[in-house]
Amino acid sequence: MSSKQQTKYIFVTGGVLSSLGKGITAASIGTLLKHAGFRVGVLKLDPYINVDPGTMSPLEHGEVFVTKDGAETDLDLGHYERFLDSSLTQNNNFTTGQVYKTVIENERQGKYLGKTIQIVPHITNEIKERIVLAGEGKDILIVELGGTTGDMEGMPFLETIHQMKHELGKSELMNIHVTLLPYIRTAGELKTKPTQHSVQELRRLGITPHMLILRSEKRIPSDIKRKIAYSCDVDEDSVIEAVDAPTIYEVPLLFMAQDILEPIAKQLELGELKPNMQLWSDLVRKIIEPTKKTKIAFVGKYLDLKESYKSLTEALIHAGANLDTQVEIKWVDSEKIENNTAKQYLVDCDGVLVAGGFGERGVEGKIKAIQYARENKIPFLGICLGMQLAMVEFARHVLGISEATSMEFNPETKEPIIYLIDEFIDAAGAKQIRTITSPKGGTLRLGEYECHTLEGSKLREAYGSSTIYERHRHRYEANPIYRERLESNGMIVTGESDGLIEAVEIKDHPWFLGVQFHPEFTSRLQNPNPTILAFVKTALSHTDGAE
Ligand code: GLN
């Protein structure tokens, strides 16, 4: 364990092209360091100009991940939480847009004393301050720079890294470059040239990589590793291969098998490191070779881009690993159900999951899926919009309120089972105003809120606690005016947060739970989310019962 107070930094950059799994690589290194006893922090730098990804289309950007303190961030932060089993905050991710916004606001307030504002030093200083803030209280901060070396947007960040090398001692900082080693089939060769060029580009910008992590579809022979070490001027033991793994959670183990911590410990003067990865590797084994299996219907609308449900699909993997079970996902496009029977899609499934979402598209199909799960007593979990629609379905088909809907789809509806509250107190204790005309982005209920669980409920049973904390990202709420009618007909409110309905269950059903919160955001491999774990467990017993 490091005795020094000074935070050490590991900068992770990417070369050649994007989508190399830089985030997983960085998270894997962080996991090993954490299991070796260090306090590890992470920071994701996003070079795009958006102030946050909250208003970016999921088709454009994958999932919006929500932190405990209500920041809408890049989905990579989700990977970090899942690997490091720790909760991050808005200090763990920032964008170029945020940096410029602060600098321009400072300039308007005269904070730069009339100086000409420039990328160096004003923008780079702001970046540096934010990096240092993210590292406070940590032994090691892993800083991942989004994008690829050579991108115009990334330049101020690389310049900052270059400056930090001069300001900190040599052993306080390490640069890791993740690049691609393409395999050219016709030549039967792994090609090193793109990596050499990317490293040259980094050096031109004043950054010397201390380690190269090479993404490759094939194992890399030692002569190629040696060639790269020579041509890129890194030590041979610092050329690490990252071949495609059956699960992302195996990556830390594959790195450990290559003694990746040795050159890291040498560069950062960390002493001898012995990470304890026993529990982790047991879970990975259960992901790769599970002894049981269950099949869950995942009813959603962005099925072309499954990345937009990343946290949820990972949470199902975590639950499966902890139950030694393969969770097979059957993707069901809710729009397809609209013109067909739900049965034809759901009959072979052990559980039905209706995920969150925004907008009216596909909603009627989701309602049909919920009705099928309710009437046929199939384990059901509705998340956020999934809970809201479960209440609409119940109101329509059990209470007989045929016009029941959410104000999200019909602001003028006479039967707003789901409505918009004008005022609420946010996670920071501040009053927020939401109306139908308030601008998008700023009016969501975001982040962690306390929820009280009802004794004897499935929710209480899942958590074993009367008070739970989960994260939110929604604008509409369940309307308490209907509560009495719902409850007297068998749909019970089993979770409440400061007067808001947080969870509903159906009395006469083996396992039917709708939650307003997003349980998937707090699920980690070594600490699966209780709601999702309980759902998968019930689906599994449904499988067993059916056999
Ligand atoms: N669209 C719904 C709302 O805004 C649900 C949001 C969600 O599922 N994340 O309340």
Side-chain angles (χ1 to χ4, degrees), residues 331-346:
W331 294 95
V332 180
D333 181 341
S334 50
E335 282 185 298
K336 292 217 174 100
I337 305 184
E338 272 164 26
N339 304 318
N340 295 291
T341 62
K343 186 177 175 187
Q344 75 188 79
Y345 295 99
L346 306 180

Side-chain angles (χ1 to χ4, degrees), residues 3 11 28-29 54-55 107 141 144-145 151 209 243 252 276 317 319 323 330 337 374 379 383 405 418 432 435 463 531:
S3 56
F11 291 100
S28 298
I29 293 169
T55 50
E107 185 270 336
L141 181 72
E144 179 199 344
L145 176 58
D151 290 349
V243 288
N276 179 359
I317 292 172
L323 296 166
K330 177 175 182 180
I337 305 184
R374 179 176 60 77
I383 294 177
T405 189
I418 307 301
Q432 291 270 355
T435 69
Y463 288 78
T531 295

Side-chain angles (χ1 to χ4, degrees), residues 238-250:
S238 301
V239 178
I240 304 290
E241 70 178 19
V243 288
D244 299 340
T247 161
I248 51 173
Y249 300 103
E250 201 186 14

